[in-house]
Amino acid sequence: AREKVSDNISYYVKSASPKSCGGPYHADVARNLVDELNQCGYQATVIGGGRIEFDKAVPHAHVYGFSYGFGKANHALVADLIEKFSDIIATYNEDDGIY
C-alpha cells in the first residue's frame, strides 16, 4: 500500500481460509484488507498471490504457488515479512508450477 500523502510503500500479507474470507479466490482474501487500507488513506494494490501452508505445531509457514488473477507474489518477501512480524519460521518456493 502506498501512502497518499507521501510515496512510502508498505507491504501486507494476508492468509485466510475460503470460509473465513468469503470465497475461494485471491480476490476474496484481499478484498477486506484492500478496503480497510483505502479507508485509512492508503492507495492499496494487490501485487501477487500464492498459498501459505501453515503448520501450527512447529510453527512453520511455507509460501508457494501463484494467483490466476494477480500472478505470483514475491515469495521471498512474503516469507521475510512473516518472520519479521511473528514467531513463525517461514520458507518459500519460487517455482511457477501448479500447486
Side-chain angles (χ1 to χ4, degrees), residues 27-42:
D28 299 318
V29 175
R31 185 175 296 111
N32 290 344
L33 179 60
V34 169
D35 288 347
E36 277 185 50
L37 290 170
N38 287 337
Q39 289 173 11
C40 291
Y42 290 88

Side-chain angles (χ1 to χ4, degrees), residues 37-94:
L37 290 170
N38 287 337
Q39 289 173 11
C40 291
Y42 290 88
Q43 180 183 358
T45 305
V46 178
I47 58 172
R51 294 181 182 241
I52 301 173
E53 190 174 290
F54 182 62
D55 181 350
K56 195 174 188 177
V58 175
H60 174 258
H62 184 67
V63 183
Y64 65 100
F66 62 94
S67 164
Y68 285 105
F70 299 115
K72 185 174 71 175
N74 179 337
H75 297 329
L77 174 62
V78 171
D80 184 52
L81 290 169
I82 290 169
E83 287 191 342
K84 183 176 180 179
F85 294 103
S86 73
D87 293 329
I88 298 169
I89 298 165
T91 57
Y92 64 93
N93 183 329
E94 294 285 6

